[in-house]
Amino acid sequence: MAISLSEPAARHIAACLAGRSKGEGVRVGIKTSGCSGLAYVLEFVDSIAPEDQVFESHGIKVIVDPKSLAYLDGTQMDFVKEGLNEGFKFTNPNQKGECGCGESFTV
């Protein structure tokens, strides 16, 4: 089981962590949301819980809670810039569909 980052995603997260001057890494999770059912959640982590799974990718710790890991196993996070827009893009092999706006997904 694993979650990985592309080099651009790792650079972006590293810059954000440096700007905060603290943090263990980034938590990737899911929550019930949107018209398709699930949405990705990202937050900085200052302390890792004992039940968390920790993956390291390009020097960045990616922290996942056990509930979310079942939905996120094998996911790669990328950071993309398209015109004036930029953000994280998730390539999740468990995803079976997504809503029209792209904000939520199903597994």
Side-chain angles (χ1 to χ4, degrees):
M1 294 189 154
I3 295 176
S4 61
L5 303 173
S6 68
E7 287 185 35
R11 282 193 304 269
H12 183 76
I13 293 168
C16 291
L17 286 170
R20 291 181 80 234
S21 301
K22 65 178 180 176
E24 290 285 328
V26 65
R27 178 179 303 282
V28 181
I30 57 157
K31 68 177 182 175
T32 303
S33 179
C35 46
S36 286
L38 300 172
Y40 297 104
V41 177
L42 294 173
E43 62 185 6
F44 294 110
V45 174
D46 293 330
S47 62
I48 298 171
E51 67 273 8
D52 286 337
Q53 295 289 315
V54 180
F55 306 98
E56 191 160 326
S57 185
H58 300 287
I60 300 294
K61 290 180 183 172
V62 180
I63 298 109
V64 185
D65 66 272
K67 176 189 162 207
S68 296
L69 186 57
Y71 299 98
L72 298 174
D73 183 33
T75 297
Q76 182 183 38
M77 287 176 50
D78 192 10
F79 188 77
V80 295
K81 293 182 180 183
E82 296 173 351
L84 297 175
N85 298 318
E86 63 183 23
F88 288 101
K89 179 181 177 185
F90 297 86
T91 303
N92 184 343
N94 305 300
Q95 183 175 318
K96 302 298 181 212
E98 67 181 1
C99 67
C101 62
E103 294 296 318
S104 63
F105 67 98
T106 58
V107 291

